[in-house]
Amino acid sequence: MLRITSRCLSNRVLHQHNKVSQHITKVSVRMASSEKSTLPKNVNVKEAFEILKANPSIKYLDVRTLEEVKASGTAPGAKVVPILEGPSMQPNLKFVNQVKSLIGDTSTPIIVGCKSGRRSQMAIQVMEEAGYTELANLNSGFDGWKAEGLPAEIAPIEAFSSL
């Protein structure tokens, strides 16, 4: 009888262990599916184009000057907020507020681009300090975008931050 009790107890423990394991798996799957996917820290222009095409909730932020964007266009659907402004390329002191007014939520995934990739790194640093968490740098900037022959458009007026 002791053997049966031990065996029965062992089966009960094993059964409870399996139920707990199944519950943990279900919770983990639920948590993983509710989390936003994170962007890589850096993307090349082809990756960026595919990411933007596949997921319209991901934004493209062009941080070049308005003159640069007007002269050469930008990625379709881009939002435009210069990180530097004026002929002497001074920091745009309204940058974070302008980004917030155009994009909003600091958890919105954003690919940040400029002409070649340097100003976008600067913009990402400022945005991270302001609480933005889902940011990717466009490695070769809009120069690389054009060199790959990817689509460009003259940004509509609502894409520009109000300066």
Side-chain angles (χ1 to χ4, degrees):
M1 183 158 156
L2 183 62
R3 244 174 148 181
I4 295 172
T5 307
S6 287
R7 196 175 277 162
C8 183
L9 182 59
S10 179
N11 284 340
R12 278 190 172 165
V13 168
L14 183 60
H15 178 71
Q16 285 292 53
H17 173 74
N18 287 340
K19 286 178 89 173
V20 168
S21 293
Q22 289 172 351
H23 178 71
I24 290 171
T25 301
K26 286 178 185 176
V27 169
S28 297
V29 167
R30 233 181 293 131
M31 285 174 61
S33 66
S34 69
E35 293 175 1
K36 289 184 178 183
S37 63
T38 56
L39 291 171
K41 284 287 184 194
N42 294 289
V43 293
N44 67 45
V45 292
K46 287 183 179 179
E47 290 170 326
F49 177 72
E50 292 302 321
I51 290 169
L52 292 165
K53 188 169 73 170
N55 192 339
S57 67
I58 297 175
K59 306 298 182 203
Y60 180 83
L61 177 64
D62 193 326
V63 297
R64 295 177 295 149
T65 66
L66 301 180
E67 293 74 26
E68 288 174 290
V69 172
K70 288 176 183 174
S72 61
T74 190
K79 302 297 183 192
V80 181
V81 181
I83 186 72
L84 302 174
E85 60 186 355
S88 58
M89 300 295 274
Q90 294 296 311
N92 175 1
L93 301 178
K94 300 176 194 170
F95 178 76
V96 171
N97 288 335
Q98 292 169 339
V99 170
K100 285 181 180 177
S101 74
L102 279 177
I103 294 177
D105 187 8
T106 56
S107 66
T108 300
I110 306 168
I111 296 174
V112 184
C114 61
K115 184 177 182 341
S116 63
R118 285 187 299 246
R119 282 179 281 175
S120 54
Q121 278 290 64
M122 185 188 315
I124 285 173
Q125 185 177 359
V126 170
M127 293 170 70
E128 285 175 339
E129 289 171 7
Y132 284 86
T133 57
E134 296 285 327
L135 303 169
N137 183 49
L138 183 64
N139 281 338
S140 57
F142 198 68
D143 284 350
W145 187 278
K146 286 191 318 188
E148 288 294 333
L150 296 172
E153 67 181 17
I154 301 301
I157 193 69
E158 62 270 7
F160 291 92
S161 63
S162 56
L163 301 173

